[in-house]
Amino acid sequence: MSVDDVWQLRSVGRPQRLRDSSISSARPPPTVNRTAHPLSPILFTDPPPTMSLATYLSRFKSVSGSPTPSESLSLSQLAPSILNLTITDTPEQWTLYESLLLTTLRTGDDTSARLVLQRLSDRFGNSNARVMALQGIYDEATSSNHAQLEEVLKNYDEVLKEDPTNFPITKRRITLLHHLNKKTEAIAALTALLDLNPTDGECWSQLAQYYFEVSMFSQAIYCLEEVLLILPNAYNIHARLGEISCIAAETSGAGKEVEKLEASLRWYLRAVELCDGYLRGYYGVKMVTARLLQSKYSSATRTIPEEKVNKLNSVATVHLNDIVTGFEKNKKGFTGYNPAEVAAAKELLEADSSSS
Amino acid sequence: MAQVVGQQILRDPALFYWILFPITVVMILTGVLRHYATLLLQSAPKPLDSKAIREQKNYLHGINLRTNANQIPLSSFTSRKNYLVAAYGAGSFLKDPDAKNKAPANPMSDPNGMDQMMNMMKGNMMMIVPQTVIMGWINAFFSGFVIMKLPFPLTIRFKSMLQSGVMTKDMDVRWVSSLSWYFLCLFGLRSVFTFILGNENSADQTMAQVQQMNPQQNTQQLFGPGQDPAKMYSAEAENLEVMVQHEFVLDGIEDRILATV
């Protein structure tokens, strides 16, 4: 689980991560995840009482950016044993503490969260920007009504008045604004932040998400391109670009559709090129090619000839088939996929085979 | 000069306990002490204000655009390029746009630069003071002692290195004087310090020298004192402007994918 971004928590109720707004690291990591199979009965396996710091850390790392409730719960249950470890004051320890704070907040274990936060602020001081943001996350997650959230927001404003360069708090404030349904304000604040620091990929990807939510697709695409300038190998951003251009193609006027669909197809292909075995990428390739092969586009001018589109479609089908069967049989190299995504791929394949 | 084979000097074994050993221990202890003293004296780098951050990050933005231009479509690249070139040329990201045409400020009067220099001086003092004291101590108490014999022969060239402070012409190079032992310790204890204090210690002076050579590497400052951001911006604008070649990575991707199957 990445703890680097302050975005990942929503404010009220239990925080969760916005879908696919994270950025993968520059190197395409393997999609294979051998440590935590999503379907394994993680809930019933008691952790051995004496695990080392590194073991705990690897357990946290094995969980994806958007953990399922059961994964969160199993991690959150580690809280007492982690808190009982002696404090070694190593970077790993504090990373673990941060992840633990987020997990305990997700599952509603506020007492543990309080304790973790206390230890973090004891070590780094209350005025540390990061600790302040974590404190903010705690306040947001534990507030039960709208008025309390407004209070937290006011707090953020005060902090920022004193120190406008406190980036973690700025990000928290933007997320909170967005959550309180002040979307235009959130977008304005985020653009202001990006004017200050245009080399933060996380901000750009979040802005893309906000623009996407209000259906401003070309702006969203611009923002994602900006992310690519910072992280040229982020394959999930490529796939996201494909998704957004595909959706934008639907709403664009006649004549432009094929052009946009082809752009979308190319983004998806690039995602697949950067990371083979990327399910979202192949799903997109299959979906877009199927759409391009529809009879209403047969007369349109296209830059990718129809036979190639056909071939690409079958390539995607083969790969998706591999992934789905591999995942179902729990074959080595095919674990770690999101079960929901695999199910969607299966549905797509079945719909395809029944129609043809 | 003919070397006397098996030259024998009778040494008092107490030389080992009272000179060789103390010098080594003192050198190690000063190193450790210096490490902690440097840590104490180091002032945290001042956080930059928002204008300075804006100035630096927007400069990096241009560099990012230039290096990864091929990742985005040509039209996107051109619009960004035009925007950035215009903004860089107009100096709209500068900390103080009025200073654009002025001569660069004297680095000595720049408060940020002063800070940096103060830090450097502190570091230097941490090196110079203990070294002077210890060398004085060794010269006063142990000068002229021959304290050990190396177990292997050496060429005559090493004489000045191993026998400083002993003016005997005919002595075998294998004999080491106390002052030389001090120098050997001074330069050779690096791995010992790494063992005791970890990798990024400030006990070893070679490390400090490396840091002095490129002081910008460890600080947040992208523009060092004396550098004119306005000039760097216009240079970057020029770099962007002359970029004519643009090969979008997505061109022909369908053939690449089909070729791999």
Side-chain angles (χ1 to χ4, degrees):
Chain A
M1 177 169 54
S2 134
V3 285
D4 260 353
D5 43 350
V6 239
W7 295 114
Q8 66 179 351
L9 296 164
R10 275 235 203 109
S11 20
V12 135
R14 291 307 143 196
Q16 68 173 104
R17 186 159 193 157
L18 291 175
R19 198 173 177 203
D20 218 30
S21 70
S22 65
I23 307 168
S24 67
S25 53
R27 146 192 71 92
T31 42
V32 190
N33 190 346
R34 293 190 181 86
T35 38
H37 183 254
L39 293 181
S40 68
I42 246 174
L43 279 177
F44 303 110
T45 50
D46 270 2
T50 48
M51 287 211 299
S52 72
L53 195 70
T55 339
Y56 284 122
L57 208 56
S58 64
R59 287 232 8 214
F60 271 89
K61 277 187 182 151
S62 68
V63 173
S64 62
S66 44
T68 61
S70 63
E71 282 173 342
S72 290
L73 189 59
S74 73
L75 288 178
S76 177
Q77 281 164 344
L78 298 175
S81 37
I82 291 177
L83 288 171
N84 276 336
L85 285 176
T86 43
I87 296 181
T88 48
D89 200 15
T90 50
E92 292 82 31
Q93 165 120 29
W94 300 119
T95 319
L96 185 63
Y97 266 54
E98 266 187 2
S99 328
L100 186 64
L101 175 68
L102 301 184
T103 321
T104 46
L105 284 177
R106 275 196 191 99
T107 50
D109 184 1
D110 292 342
T111 5
S112 300
R114 180 74 250 165
L115 191 60
V116 172
L117 187 61
Q118 187 59 47
R119 290 198 185 163
L120 279 168
S121 62
D122 282 350
R123 170 65 182 81
F124 297 102
N126 277 325
S127 54
N128 181 294
R130 197 149 168 142
V131 171
M132 280 165 99
L134 291 174
Q135 173 77 46
I137 292 174
Y138 177 82
D139 290 342
E140 287 170 33
T142 49
S143 46
S144 50
N145 56 33
H146 205 274
Q148 278 177 339
L149 281 179
E150 293 280 358
E151 196 61 35
V152 177
L153 185 64
K154 225 177 271 169
N155 248 338
Y156 288 161
D157 284 336
E158 260 164 44
V159 171
L160 289 178
K161 215 180 279 168
E162 270 176 33
D163 177 19
T165 57
N166 191 333
F167 285 145
I169 288 288
T170 319
K171 290 179 179 180
R172 282 317 308 161
R173 180 172 165 271
I174 292 165
T175 337
L176 188 50
L177 278 175
H178 186 257
H179 176 78
L180 292 171
N181 230 346
K182 301 174 182 168
K183 299 210 165 157
T184 36
E185 272 180 62
I187 290 180
L190 195 46
T191 28
L193 177 62
L194 280 168
D195 175 63
L196 203 61
N197 181 6
T199 49
D200 188 344
E202 207 177 88
C203 290
W204 282 113
S205 102
Q206 190 72 7
L207 185 58
Q209 181 62 29
Y210 289 172
Y211 273 132
F212 175 71
E213 279 167 24
V214 293
S215 307
M216 294 165 80
F217 299 127
S218 55
Q219 281 86 345
I221 289 175
Y222 180 94
C223 295
L224 289 177
E225 283 173 356
E226 230 18 93
V227 179
L228 288 190
L229 289 180
I230 298 160
L231 299 165
N233 292 335
Y235 57 92
N236 61 344
I237 297 295
H238 284 94
R240 187 82 187 131
L241 270 165
E243 282 161 25
I244 292 182
S245 350
C246 178
I247 294 167
E250 279 171 19
T251 55
S252 69
K256 286 252 173 186
E257 268 176 302
V258 172
E259 192 189 319
K260 289 215 167 141
L261 281 177
E262 281 183 343
S264 162
L265 175 59
R266 289 205 170 102
W267 286 119
Y268 275 127
L269 286 174
R270 175 71 180 159
V272 171
E273 185 185 43
L274 285 172
C275 171
D276 23 292
Y278 187 46
L279 186 128
R280 273 184 109 90
Y282 285 118
Y283 188 95
V285 171
K286 178 147 180 61
M287 196 179 62
V288 177
T289 44
R291 201 171 290 174
L292 272 172
L293 290 172
Q294 280 169 4
S295 49
K296 62 173 170 173
Y297 297 132
S298 54
S299 60
T301 48
R302 44 174 94 209
T303 49
I304 309 176
E306 197 164 339
E307 44 167 331
K308 273 188 195 165
V309 177
N310 239 328
K311 262 189 209 161
L312 285 170
N313 188 313
S314 46
V315 168
T317 314
V318 168
H319 277 278
L320 280 179
N321 249 328
D322 274 0
I323 291 172
V324 169
T325 49
F327 182 78
E328 277 171 352
K329 285 178 188 153
N330 206 356
K331 238 197 280 177
K332 199 179 168 195
F334 288 98
T335 55
Y337 285 106
N338 185 344
E341 286 182 3
V342 176
K346 202 175 171 190
E347 214 168 279
L348 183 77
L349 287 172
E350 278 164 7
D352 186 54
S353 60
S354 64
S355 70
S356 59
Chain B
M1 188 184 74
Q3 291 208 358
V4 186
V5 180
Q7 191 180 53
Q8 287 294 320
I9 298 179
L10 273 180
R11 275 167 305 153
D12 189 346
L15 281 176
F16 175 79
Y17 299 109
W18 292 101
I19 300 181
L20 187 89
F21 189 63
I23 289 179
T24 319
V25 169
V26 163
M27 289 304 292
I28 292 176
L29 286 183
T30 8
V32 174
L33 207 69
R34 181 188 297 146
H35 171 68
Y36 287 111
T38 320
L39 282 191
L40 273 181
L41 280 181
Q42 244 168 16
S43 55
K46 243 195 253 162
L48 297 168
D49 64 334
S50 55
K51 275 187 176 163
I53 294 179
R54 185 164 179 266
E55 190 181 63
Q56 292 181 7
K57 299 288 182 175
N58 277 292
Y59 180 68
L60 290 179
H61 190 200
I63 295 179
N64 272 344
L65 175 64
R66 194 154 47 87
T67 44
N68 291 328
N70 292 341
Q71 301 293 330
I72 58 174
L74 182 61
S75 59
S76 313
F77 170 68
T78 327
S79 65
R80 280 178 177 77
K81 184 178 88 174
N82 292 340
Y83 162 68
L84 280 183
V85 166
Y88 282 7
S92 45
F93 295 125
L94 291 177
K95 208 166 19 176
D96 40 338
D98 309 329
K100 196 185 158 197
N101 298 321
K102 272 189 240 158
N106 183 0
M108 294 303 274
S109 62
D110 184 15
N112 279 332
M114 280 306 275
D115 230 42
Q116 232 174 2
M117 264 181 262
M118 191 65 199
N119 268 339
M120 245 198 266
M121 206 179 79
K122 274 183 203 162
N124 274 351
M125 288 318 265
M126 291 314 294
M127 289 294 155
I128 294 166
V129 172
Q131 271 174 35
T132 334
V133 172
I134 294 175
M135 209 168 143
W137 170 67
I138 289 177
N139 250 337
F141 286 88
F142 309 126
S143 65
F145 281 104
V146 169
I147 52 174
M148 64 186 254
K149 186 186 183 188
L150 294 176
F152 45 84
L154 284 166
T155 53
I156 197 78
R157 289 253 170 206
F158 286 90
K159 201 169 172 69
S160 58
M161 190 176 113
L162 293 176
Q163 291 177 3
S164 52
V166 182
M167 314 291 187
T168 318
K169 241 190 189 173
D170 290 337
M171 197 163 61
D172 192 349
V173 191
R174 292 163 72 180
W175 298 101
V176 180
S177 74
S178 55
L179 195 62
S180 296
W181 180 244
Y182 160 75
F183 282 119
L184 287 181
C185 281
L186 189 66
F187 294 110
L189 279 178
R190 181 175 181 170
S191 43
V192 178
F193 290 135
T194 320
F195 176 67
I196 302 176
L197 299 168
N199 257 331
E200 281 171 27
N201 65 70
S202 38
D204 188 48
Q205 60 155 19
T206 39
M207 291 283 287
Q209 278 164 355
V210 171
Q211 275 180 5
Q212 272 173 29
M213 295 306 273
N214 38 4
Q216 275 164 46
Q217 230 159 40
N218 291 340
T219 51
Q220 286 177 297
Q221 291 266 340
L222 180 68
F223 304 121
Q227 259 171 322
D228 186 9
K231 279 207 186 99
M232 291 178 71
Y233 264 119
S234 52
E236 186 56 38
E238 219 164 273
N239 282 345
L240 276 173
E241 218 159 359
V242 296
M243 264 192 73
V244 277
Q245 209 173 10
H246 181 271
E247 283 173 21
F248 188 28
V249 284
L250 261 60
D251 284 342
I253 179 118
E254 58 274 1
D255 299 322
R256 293 211 297 272
I257 292 283
L258 286 177
T260 54
V261 213

